[in-house]
């Protein structure tokens, strides 16, 4: 792509900053300030444009709900202020006039939003207006807006109208969702949705994917299985991209318009966009994971990079109770950037290492200045000027490090409590070898009252076993399993639907054997994290309750290395990106995947009927054609064996942090020489993962599977 080292988040931030700069293109030399290896991952600010007197142009930012989610996931309030945004407001909230102040609108092009903009301008709330639509405004809506503007006489108040192609939310450097809510899987699989509603849903997915592709700056090859929503979306996206290229001389993918491109960037090969139905593998939506980001998502219910944890009001006096605190895990959090994707015991160790490093750095500064602590340093005027100047320069950075580490200490404490209460380490360990569990073992586990406090964990484990096992489960055995789950307090409504999709999912799932054995020789050293954090950290917190709590929490939590296994979606991605290295079983599964090339005159099929977007039409969603396909959508042998260095993997109906982490691990492991530790002579692989919505297991089981179960 245009600038291969830029993550999707880097590119979205650059696009938003351009909007905040009233769509002025940053100066050519500003790209030189961006260090792609910097811990915070942000593109450095170009200089905000100034007014005629040389002052920054102060402005108001007005957004709708999706605009708020898009911005809040990648920028903080301080970042907005750096671009002259003094106040930010939701368009649906009551707002007061701020005359003669420019306003930036960032919102979806809906009739209601257009009416609200016209109402704002006719009441002279702000002027002038810079209107930015998150997706391309349809021609009829644009004509309606023009008519409203003419009738209200507000045309002089409008400075700009832009389509921005930003209707997607970026949570991690290469993770995005379309913010479509937690009912997409239900909508794609229910019989209760009308064809026109399903069509509108699919059009929204196509619009979001088009925006992602525009932001990444390269037209992809599209691959998808036959049938179901994945084919419908692929065909519509192919047509949308094709029509855009044919109908626009200066299109969004031309060199002059390519986003975030710099004069020094070099074009690379095109990416592959893999579009999959969620039913291809349900297990990652249910599994208990052992990585930091997956545990935070599951236990602490992270949403839009924000989590809420309970912490003591006073660490030295637990009797004062607990207070809820919200934290943002954003792109300038050095600890999250480094540790999000690694197993939790290593995170515990790394907190300890970073706290020791912080303490050493703080001691170095205080020794040089003669102060006894950082707090004393602020009030001390007797230190030598040179050391004092150096210390004051380092103080903000040290303070920020301390705040970040304290935050992660609180998060780790909350996670450990959740792990212990729910015995998540036991569930994870069982799921690692789920296919080896017998019916009797699973039934005993469901009946064991000592296995955690959360009945949903048992239901999740049982569904994973039921979808994975090769053993046949009779009706009488199923009734015994369901009775044990109900006795444990679980709602078994979801199982009615799971039984229906079991055969479909088992056709597409690929059982995962470890790709490499876990290193036994280093496991003791690797997982000294829990013990070291309880011993050394308790020294720092020995006067408070948190240290003792941490030690109690850590005792009994298992330290082990997760096996290095590739999930089904990862295996599909490997078979399409690197067919030479993929297993024959994975290649066999993707052999008949459809092939769309929006730049080609041939690789295009006829548009399926809206009803074919449903995933529950018998077994036709997987492996069978629609019967309406035109020539050119089947891949030739050469196309099937074509390799790619970059991919966008998109699941329709919900995404999982587990799959994102697994894909990133695979990309790192196979980049360069093709194996861990190999010489970097092969392609540097990169995988962007996205979905209609990133959903945690509780929302997926209780919100979507159970709803489908009630309808069955």
């Amino acid at each position: 792509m245009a600038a291969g080292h830029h993550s999707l988040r880097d590119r979205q931030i650059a696009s938003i900053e351009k909007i905040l700069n009233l769509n002025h293109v940053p100066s050519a030399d500003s790209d030189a300030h961006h260090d792609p290896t910097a811990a915070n991952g942000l593109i450095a600010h170009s200089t905000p444009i100034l007014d005629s007197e040389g002052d920054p142009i102060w402005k108001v930012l007005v957004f709708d709900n999706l605009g708020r989610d898009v911005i809040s996931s990648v920028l903080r309030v301080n970042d907005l202020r750096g671009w002259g945004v003094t106040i930010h407001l939701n368009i649906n909230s009551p707002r007061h006039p701020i005359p003669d102040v420019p306003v930036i609108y960032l919102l979806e092009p809906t009739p209601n939003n257009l009416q609200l903009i016209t109402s704002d301008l006719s009441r002279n709330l702000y002027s002038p207006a810079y209107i930015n639509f998150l997706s391309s405004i349809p021609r009829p809506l644009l004509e309606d807006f023009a008519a409203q503007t003419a009738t209200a006489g507000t045309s002089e108040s409008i400075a700009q109208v832009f389509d921005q192609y930003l209707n997607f939310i970026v949570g991690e450097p290469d993770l995005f969702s379309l913010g479509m809510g937690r009912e997409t899987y239900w909508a794609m699989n229910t019989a209760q949705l009308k064809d026109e509603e399903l069509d509108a849903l699919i059009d929204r997915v196509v619009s979001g994917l088009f925006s992602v592709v525009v932001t990444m700056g390269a037209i992809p090859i599209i691959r998808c299985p036959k049938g179901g929503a994945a084919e419908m979306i692929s065909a519509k996206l192919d047509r949308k991209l094709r029509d855009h290229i044919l109908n626009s001389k200066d299109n969004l993918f031309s060199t002059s318009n390519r986003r975030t491109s710099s004069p020094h960037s070099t074009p690379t090969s095109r990416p592959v966009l893999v579009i999959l139905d969620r039913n291809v593998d349900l297990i990652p939506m249910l599994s208990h994971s052992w990585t930091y980001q997956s545990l935070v998502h599951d236990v602490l219910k992270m949403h839009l990079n924000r989590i809420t944890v309970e912490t003591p009001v006073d660490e030295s006096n637990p009797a004062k109770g607990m207070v809820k605190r919200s934290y943002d895990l954003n792109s300038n959090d050095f600890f999250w950037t480094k540790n999000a994707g690694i197993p939790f015991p290593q995170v515990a160790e790394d907190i300890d290492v970073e706290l020791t490093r912080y303490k050493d750095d703080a001691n170095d500064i205080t020794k040089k200045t003669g102060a006894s602590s950082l707090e004393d340093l602020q009030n001390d005027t007797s230190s030598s000027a040179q050391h004092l100047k150096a210390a004051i320069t380092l103080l903000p950075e040290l303070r920020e490090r301390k705040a970040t580490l304290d935050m992660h200490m609180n998060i780790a404490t909350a996670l450990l409590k959740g792990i212990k209460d729910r015995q998540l380490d036991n569930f994870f360990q069982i799921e690692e070898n789920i296919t080896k569990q017998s019916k009797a073992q699973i039934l005993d586990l469901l009946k064991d009252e000592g296995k955690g406090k959360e009945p949903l964990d048992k239901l999740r484990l049982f569904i994973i076993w039921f979808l994975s096992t090769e053993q046949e489960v009779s009706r009488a055995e199923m009734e015994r399993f369901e009775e044990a789950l109900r006795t444990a307090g679980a709602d078994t409504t979801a199982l009615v639907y799971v039984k229906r999709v079991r055969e479909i999912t088992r056709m597409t799932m690929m059982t995962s054997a470890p790709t490499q054995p876990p290193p036994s020789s280093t496991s003791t050293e690797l997982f000294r994290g829990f013990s070291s954090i309880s011993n050394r950290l308790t020294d720092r917190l020995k006067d408070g309750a948190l240290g003792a709590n941490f030690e109690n929490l850590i005792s009994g939590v298992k330290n082990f290395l997760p096996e290095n296994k590739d999930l089904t979606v990862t295996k599909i991605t490997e078979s399409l990106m690197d067919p030479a290295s993929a297993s024959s079983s994975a290649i066999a599964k993707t052999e008949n995947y459809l092939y769309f090339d929006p730049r080609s005159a041939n690789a295009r099929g006829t548009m399926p009927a809206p009803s074919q977007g449903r995933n529950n039409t018998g077994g036709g969603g997987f492996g069978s054609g629609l019967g309406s396909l035109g020539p050119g959508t089947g891949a030739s042998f050469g196309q099937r064996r074509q390799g790619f260095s970059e991919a966008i993997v998109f699941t329709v109906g919900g995404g999982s942090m587990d799959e994102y982490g697994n894909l990133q691990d695979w990309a790192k492991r196979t980049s360069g020489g093709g194996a861990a530790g190999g010489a970097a002579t092969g392609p540097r692989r990169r995988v962007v993962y996205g979905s209609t919505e990133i959903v945690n297991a509780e929302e997926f089981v209780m919100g979507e599977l159970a709803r489908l179960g009630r309808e069955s």
Side-chain angles (χ1 to χ4, degrees), residues 668-688:
K668 286 175 193 167
R669 192 175 73 241
T670 60
S671 283
T681 54
R684 181 172 176 267
R685 291 205 171 86
R686 175 181 164 214
V687 180
V688 175

Side-chain angles (χ1 to χ4, degrees), residues 233-251:
I233 290 163
S234 300
K236 285 197 167 190
L237 180 60
D238 172 63
R239 180 162 291 182
K240 189 177 178 78
L241 286 164
R242 189 184 298 271
D243 290 346
H244 175 74
I245 297 164
L246 290 174
N247 298 334
S248 313
K249 288 181 182 177
D250 187 20
N251 65 63

Side-chain angles (χ1 to χ4, degrees), residues 13 17 26 30-35 40-47 83:
I13 289 170
E17 289 181 342
S30 66
D31 190 67
H33 299 300
H34 174 54
D35 176 10
N40 63 14
L42 293 175
I43 292 177
H45 287 177
S46 57
T47 308
W83 288 93

Side-chain angles (χ1 to χ4, degrees), residues 661-679:
N662 198 253
L663 281 164
Q664 300 310 309
D665 289 346
W666 173 81
K668 286 175 193 167
R669 192 175 73 241
T670 60
S671 283

Side-chain angles (χ1 to χ4, degrees), residues 533-545:
I533 198 171
S534 59
N535 295 336
R536 294 163 66 185
L537 196 58
T538 305
D539 293 342
R540 188 177 73 89
L541 300 165
K542 60 187 174 188
D543 297 326

Side-chain angles (χ1 to χ4, degrees), residues 382-641:
S382 61
S383 304
S384 69
Q386 185 180 355
H387 287 313
L388 196 59
K389 183 180 178 183
I392 289 170
T393 306
L394 290 170
L395 267 176
E397 190 267 339
L398 278 173
R399 276 244 179 94
E400 196 166 331
R401 266 171 65 192
K402 173 73 161 47
T404 298
L405 293 172
D406 284 348
M407 175 182 78
H408 284 282
M409 262 299 305
N410 289 332
I411 292 171
T413 305
L415 283 181
L416 275 165
K417 187 175 185 308
I419 289 168
K420 250 197 136 171
D421 288 348
R422 292 167 55 184
Q423 294 194 20
L424 296 183
D425 49 341
N426 286 323
F427 282 107
F428 173 72
Q429 202 169 25
I430 293 166
E431 287 168 19
E432 284 280 272
N433 298 294
I434 195 71
T435 53
K436 296 177 183 175
Q437 305 297 316
S438 68
K439 295 175 188 176
Q441 286 174 313
I442 293 294
L443 193 60
D444 289 346
L445 187 145
L446 299 182
K447 289 179 177 178
D448 187 348
E449 293 181 5
K451 290 291 184 203
K453 297 180 180 179
E454 178 53 67
L456 180 63
D457 290 320
K458 291 184 177 180
L459 177 62
R460 286 163 60 181
L461 179 91
F462 173 72
I463 296 174
I464 291 168
W465 174 81
F466 182 60
L467 292 174
S468 305
T469 185
E470 295 295 325
Q471 306 168 58
E472 288 304 319
V473 181
S474 69
R475 181 177 294 184
E477 288 169 332
M478 194 68 185
E479 285 174 0
R480 282 198 292 273
F481 285 128
E482 290 182 27
E483 181 60 34
L485 283 165
R486 282 192 288 270
T487 304
D491 180 352
T492 59
T493 315
L495 292 178
V496 182
Y497 178 75
V498 171
K499 283 184 272 189
R500 281 180 52 204
V501 295
R502 184 189 188 207
E503 289 309 313
I504 297 173
T505 302
R506 282 175 66 180
M507 284 164 54
T508 52
M509 272 172 47
M510 298 177 219
T511 52
S512 296
T515 53
Q516 60 189 54
S520 55
S521 59
T522 58
S523 60
T524 308
E525 174 67 19
L526 197 60
F527 292 116
R528 65 185 179 81
F530 278 161
S531 55
S532 70
I533 198 171
S534 59
N535 295 336
R536 294 163 66 185
L537 196 58
T538 305
D539 293 342
R540 188 177 73 89
L541 300 165
K542 60 187 174 188
D543 297 326
L546 185 60
N549 285 346
F550 219 90
E551 192 159 2
N552 291 335
L553 285 168
I554 286 162
S555 62
V557 174
K558 295 179 181 176
N559 303 337
F560 48 77
L561 243 181
E563 291 181 339
N564 192 0
K565 294 195 292 190
D566 288 338
L567 300 174
T568 295
V569 167
T570 304
K571 290 187 173 187
I572 289 171
T573 304
E574 180 180 38
S575 73
L576 296 172
M577 282 185 79
D578 186 18
S581 304
S583 66
S584 55
S585 62
I587 288 177
K589 298 279 188 186
T590 59
E591 194 80 354
N592 294 318
Y593 271 34
L594 302 177
Y595 184 101
F596 296 88
D597 181 356
R599 284 199 182 277
S600 163
N602 298 321
R604 175 181 184 175
T606 57
M607 201 65 69
S611 59
Q612 297 290 356
R614 298 186 197 279
N615 290 334
N616 60 345
T617 52
F622 301 93
S624 61
L626 293 175
S628 61
L629 292 175
T633 50
S636 67
F637 180 81
Q639 289 167 339
R640 289 199 301 270
R641 297 297 177 265

